[in-house]
Amino acid sequence: MNRDSSAVREELLRLREQTEIQATALDGDLRSLFEASRSSNADDEHDPEGSTIAFERAQLTAVLDATRRRLAELDVALRRVDDGSYGVCERCARPIPAERLVARPSARTCVACASRR
């Protein structure tokens, strides 16, 4: 692994750690919401004060799912750094522009191939 790939690996590990912390916090929030809804007999469907517990639960679940997907994508990116294929498009084998990798470190395709989906 060269110095450049070492720096990329460090950045991906930093992003993964941040994402893991976020996933843990979201999971805790979701568990708290489940506990609160179990111990409450409030009629949240007709609460004029705001969103329902069901809506909050669905929203938290969606964000947690997206965060877990990002973790998985970062794990794949780390494996690609290790095997030397990071930064190479999986479809056309051309280099993925650095700007795309900065914006989306787990990108597996170049902009042209991603836009063809």
Side-chain angles (χ1 to χ4, degrees):
M1 186 181 314
N2 64 33
R3 177 170 157 62
D4 207 28
S5 61
S6 228
V8 168
R9 188 171 213 308
E10 284 180 34
E11 177 63 10
L12 289 170
L13 285 170
R14 185 187 66 76
L15 290 170
R16 191 190 187 292
E17 182 179 355
Q18 287 177 343
T19 306
E20 181 72 38
I21 289 167
Q22 186 179 26
T24 300
L26 288 166
D27 188 55
D29 291 347
L30 191 57
R31 289 175 192 270
S32 294
L33 187 61
F34 281 129
E35 283 302 314
S37 66
R38 254 189 243 134
S39 63
S40 170
N41 59 3
D43 181 10
D44 71 316
E45 295 299 320
H46 299 95
D47 182 2
E49 295 299 316
S51 62
T52 65
I53 291 174
F55 174 78
E56 289 178 36
R57 186 174 43 237
Q59 192 173 32
L60 265 175
T61 299
V63 174
L64 179 57
D65 288 347
T67 303
R68 286 179 175 155
R69 277 192 305 277
R70 180 166 181 187
L71 272 174
E73 290 170 358
L74 288 167
D75 287 340
V76 170
L78 283 163
R79 284 194 297 275
R80 288 173 57 87
V81 168
D82 292 343
D83 72 17
S85 64
Y86 183 82
V88 177
C89 179
E90 288 183 342
R91 289 189 178 179
C92 69
R94 292 189 181 122
I96 299 171
E99 299 82 17
R100 176 161 170 76
L101 291 172
V102 167
R104 187 165 179 211
S106 60
R108 295 169 23 180
T109 57
C110 65
V111 175
C113 288
S115 65
R116 290 187 201 129
R117 277 189 188 175

